[in-house]
Amino acid sequence: MKRITILHSVVLVGLLLMLSLPTLVWGQVERCQTMSALDQRLQNDPGYAQFYNEAHSMNKYTTYEQEQRSIPCDANNTIRIPVAFHFDETFDCNDFACIVTEVQDQLDALNIGFGDNTGSTNANSCPSAYVDGNGNSVISTGTCIEFYMVEPPAATGLGTCDYPITINQFNGGLNGGGSGAGAAWAGILNIFITNDQCLGVADGIPGAADGDGVTVCSQAFGGFGGSSSACGLDTDGTFNLGATLVHEIGHYLGLYHTFQGGCGTQEENPPGPFQILDTPAHANPTSGCPTGCVASGCGGGTSAPTANFMDYSNDACMDMFTEDQAQVMNYWANQLFGNSDFPEATGTTLSSACGGVCACPTTVLTSYSGTDEACVIAGDYTLPTDLSAITTDEAGTIVWSTGNYLSAGGTLLSGPTHTLTAPSTCAPTTETLYLNVTCPSDPAVELDAGTHVLTVYPDPSQFTTPDLVTFTDGDCNGPTWVVTSGCEAYVTVAQNGGPAFPVASGSGSVNYDVTLTYPTACCEIPGGIIELTGTLTDVTLDGTTDSQACANPGGTNNDVPAVWEIPITIPTAQNATDVNATGLGSIMEVCLDITVNDPSAVNITIDSPDCGQYEWEDLWLGDAFTGGTNSGPINVCFTPGTPNGEFDGTFDGDGNAANGDGTFDNCLVNGNTWVLYIADYGCWLNQPTGGTINSASITFNDGTEEPISGLCDFTATANYNCSTTCPTATAPTAQATAACGDQVTYSVTLDPATATNVTYNWTMSGAGGTTLTNTTDQTVTVDYDN
């Protein structure tokens, strides 16, 4: 297998390549002109030369580190590259149908070529050329790269109703005889189609995504759908399956020819951290369409990998990359386009490219009507993407608004998500989002296109039991409660143990389970990450009125600085049980948004409720900048274990740490209030820095990717008392005013035999009425126990 060395001199690279590169011509023109064009760009573009040198000077992974070459094409590795197509002056707007057909054919060929190549029929004609030293196949199982047509950026002059296609605007890329597409198309892979005598050329190895791209000749542009001779596309019978563009994009994403350097050790080193270790050396480029093994020309019985896209075989006989090549291209696709947020094209015209304007819609034929439940705790709501129900008489752009339709003064929403307004009580609210159809060429067009109504459930972690239910201690019938007005449909109360009421006697406490009957998703924190925002108790820092003011300003270093205090409460339901720099429940990030006059005088401390208050070692805000005085707003996040001052997640080792090792190990997270302190040591110099704190947050890792549930469950305790004793009554009138008198009724009658005797008839209210009669004494003792 070929190993790779670094050539440090750009000029030497160019000279050696021009001297040693075998030339295979198409007609009378070199088939791939990237190598000679690269040398010219390095000499004429200092900015690119610096980028190129830095790319090639990166440290390489060792063979061991690179051993697992297959890339899992999951969400972490899949890169979507936005592409645009630029046709030169030999095309015109009459070629619209022909151009669009071949663009789609070529796009399909790209996605097939950069996909899983393990079914390569050409590699099967000589399997020995595509295995490693252990006999394992090195054919790419996928680069995890996808290509899509981008919605034309506004600066390009095209409308969103258009394809990302220009005609007679550019005449090739930087190395294809033109000047590239410019800054308006930066961040996009530009594909230039010309009628020059060439097959293809890339603007760099790697490219720079600064408006550059790759150039391919019209005769070789297309795919598997057949020729479009009416506009001169895909007409070459040899190079007519789209492989030329696959080859040139391979260059743009960091690959050299498989035969570069011949049998020697001077094959050009690919840029970036990955090496190419699975491509056999061979002396010369391949021509034609080999049907079996072709000797490498380097001895040792090795065969040339003629099916590789980076060789020179005919289109029909090249259909694969290797795993190492896939690693290199995936890396550069991520570097150049990994942060791309360009939307996919929805347009279907070339109106703007042909000097016209997009036809504006005038009527919404079918409106949208949708509903959904949204959980505040889940974060921003992702807007629906399937809006195919909306139909109009002409193509338009569908946008969202809040408050009302745009035509009625609504507010335009930007981006794919919407920030929900949290309900103030435990009752959910409804929020209506509005759909509008607009026209890129006429901002005045705003058509009403339907609504999406959200039932918005509040964040249950913002509530405590008294926010939901008011409990009142009770008597023999037990405690009572009242659910907060408006929340009755969403709160249930169930007794948890204790006696069955009413009781005959006794007293005690009773536990109750209070549950919010929200959808399950609204009772969970999304798994893995817990971001908590601090409550600001002091928003200004002036050295005198803070939670801790300066002591003896201008004194010694032993004096006390002024301090901001920021409590951050962590709900009990969190799974994180301890805090480490790297383990379960680790602090992921501490973020501050503050304005101070001198960050170099400001220090950060954290207070763990069960580990004590300790200062992060030598963490001064000035360390995050240049070390000098930087006034104005500061938005900064610190992550333990990364080089921001010495913010490494450890205490300062002053000997007071509860763990004894100066770390956060086993400091409980659940249910505690952590406090961030920001101290102004400018007090020592009698110059308090002064400033304002705007926000603060701590982000924890809860140690699991599963959602954290149980946030809708609350508990409460109330008392009951069924053992009250009434005082002794000396007369009915006295008894009636006693503590229990309101529960005693009586009547008085004369004894008919002796006019002096009186009968008192007592009736006890409560459990089973009782009548007490005394005919000899006006003193009656009543024990009330019911």
Side-chain angles (χ1 to χ4, degrees), residues 366-645:
T366 307
S367 296
Y368 177 93
S369 179
T371 60
D372 199 1
E373 293 178 328
C375 309
V376 170
I377 197 168
D380 291 349
Y381 177 74
T382 300
L383 300 171
T385 55
D386 183 6
L387 304 177
S388 57
I390 300 174
T391 59
T392 55
D393 56 343
E394 295 287 348
T397 302
I398 300 174
V399 297
W400 295 86
S401 62
T402 59
N404 212 324
Y405 291 108
L406 293 177
S407 61
T411 301
L412 178 68
L413 282 177
S414 60
T417 60
H418 168 57
T419 300
L420 301 169
T421 300
S424 58
T425 71
C426 46
T429 59
T430 59
E431 186 170 351
T432 300
L433 304 177
Y434 298 84
L435 282 156
N436 312 264
V437 176
T438 62
C439 180
S441 60
D442 186 356
V445 174
E446 295 173 342
L447 305 179
D448 302 347
T451 59
H452 188 67
V453 179
L454 298 176
T455 300
V456 182
Y457 289 87
D459 177 353
S461 68
Q462 71 178 306
F463 300 125
T464 60
T465 303
D467 297 321
L468 312 176
V469 181
T470 301
F471 284 87
T472 302
D473 292 341
D475 51 25
C476 305
N477 291 315
T480 59
W481 63 83
V482 176
V483 176
T484 300
S485 178
C487 301
E488 293 86 354
Y490 307 100
V491 176
T492 62
V493 180
Q495 182 178 329
N496 185 355
F501 293 102
V503 296
S505 63
S507 62
S509 61
V510 185
N511 295 325
Y512 292 89
D513 294 330
V514 179
T515 304
L516 286 168
T517 56
Y518 294 164
T520 300
C522 300
C523 297
E524 300 175 335
I525 289 181
I529 303 299
I530 310 164
E531 182 174 347
L532 302 162
T533 301
T535 301
L536 307 183
T537 58
D538 293 283
V539 296
T540 60
L541 185 67
D542 59 15
T544 58
T545 61
D546 313 291
S547 60
Q548 177 178 296
C550 287
N552 300 322
T556 68
N557 285 4
N558 293 323
D559 293 323
V560 179
V563 175
W564 274 304
E565 180 179 314
I566 312 164
I568 296 180
T569 300
I570 301 171
T572 304
Q574 307 308 322
N575 281 351
T577 56
D578 66 342
V579 179
N580 295 290
T582 58
L584 173 67
S586 62
I587 289 182
M588 304 282 290
E589 199 171 51
V590 176
C591 292
L592 301 171
D593 179 359
I594 66 176
T595 303
V596 292
N597 294 327
D598 184 5
S600 66
V602 177
N603 174 265
I604 298 176
T605 301
I606 191 167
D607 181 355
S608 164
D610 63 333
C611 286
Q613 177 180 323
Y614 300 96
E615 176 183 276
W616 258 303
E617 183 177 347
D618 200 21
L619 177 61
W620 301 86
L621 284 184
D623 293 339
F625 304 96
T626 62
T629 298
N630 296 273
S631 61
I634 297 172
N635 290 279
V636 63
C637 292
F638 301 95
T639 302
T642 59
N644 284 305

Side-chain angles (χ1 to χ4, degrees), residues 112-133:
I112 292 172
F114 284 81
D116 186 344
N117 302 149
T118 53
S120 167
T121 57
N122 292 299
N124 287 335
S125 67
C126 183
S128 62
Y130 312 99
V131 294
D132 61 19

Side-chain angles (χ1 to χ4, degrees), residues 190-503:
N190 296 285
I191 298 170
F192 302 92
I193 301 92
T194 74
N195 262 312
D196 292 338
Q197 289 298 302
C198 68
L199 274 186
V201 57
D203 286 350
I205 304 178
D210 59 358
D212 63 358
V214 299
T215 303
V216 64
C217 284
S218 57
Q219 298 93 326
F221 178 83
F224 303 99
S227 170
S228 293
S229 56
C231 58
L233 293 171
D234 200 10
T235 58
D236 187 279
T238 303
F239 307 110
N240 62 336
L241 299 178
T244 296
L245 189 57
V246 175
H247 176 104
E248 299 305 336
I249 292 177
H251 283 315
Y252 191 88
L253 296 179
L255 298 185
Y256 286 85
H257 294 127
T258 54
F259 51 80
Q260 208 70 45
C263 297
T265 59
Q266 296 301 308
E267 178 178 352
E268 183 71 2
N269 192 43
F274 294 99
Q275 304 180 70
I276 305 293
L277 305 175
D278 57 3
T279 303
H282 57 116
N284 296 297
T286 303
S287 61
C289 195
T291 57
C293 290
V294 175
S296 69
C298 298
T302 58
S303 300
T306 61
N308 198 291
F309 279 117
M310 300 314 294
D311 201 350
Y312 271 5
S313 303
N314 294 354
D315 276 17
C317 294
M318 56 165 62
D319 57 4
M320 59 146 289
F321 292 108
T322 67
E323 295 283 32
D324 282 355
Q325 288 175 320
Q327 287 276 19
V328 171
M329 292 189 291
N330 182 271
Y331 174 81
W332 282 110
N334 190 31
Q335 297 301 305
L336 298 174
F337 305 104
N339 293 323
S340 171
D341 58 357
F342 292 104
E344 191 161 355
T346 57
T348 58
T349 76
L350 294 182
S351 298
S352 302
C354 294
V357 295
C358 297
C360 289
T362 60
T363 304
V364 174
L365 304 175
T366 307
S367 296
Y368 177 93
S369 179
T371 60
D372 199 1
E373 293 178 328
C375 309
V376 170
I377 197 168
D380 291 349
Y381 177 74
T382 300
L383 300 171
T385 55
D386 183 6
L387 304 177
S388 57
I390 300 174
T391 59
T392 55
D393 56 343
E394 295 287 348
T397 302
I398 300 174
V399 297
W400 295 86
S401 62
T402 59
N404 212 324
Y405 291 108
L406 293 177
S407 61
T411 301
L412 178 68
L413 282 177
S414 60
T417 60
H418 168 57
T419 300
L420 301 169
T421 300
S424 58
T425 71
C426 46
T429 59
T430 59
E431 186 170 351
T432 300
L433 304 177
Y434 298 84
L435 282 156
N436 312 264
V437 176
T438 62
C439 180
S441 60
D442 186 356
V445 174
E446 295 173 342
L447 305 179
D448 302 347
T451 59
H452 188 67
V453 179
L454 298 176
T455 300
V456 182
Y457 289 87
D459 177 353
S461 68
Q462 71 178 306
F463 300 125
T464 60
T465 303
D467 297 321
L468 312 176
V469 181
T470 301
F471 284 87
T472 302
D473 292 341
D475 51 25
C476 305
N477 291 315
T480 59
W481 63 83
V482 176
V483 176
T484 300
S485 178
C487 301
E488 293 86 354
Y490 307 100
V491 176
T492 62
V493 180
Q495 182 178 329
N496 185 355
F501 293 102
V503 296

Side-chain angles (χ1 to χ4, degrees), residues 639-667:
T639 302
T642 59
N644 284 305
E646 294 184 37
F647 189 81
D648 56 5
T650 63
F651 292 126
D652 63 358
D654 61 6
N656 295 323
N659 299 308
D661 58 3
T663 70
F664 283 116
D665 285 350
N666 301 317
C667 297

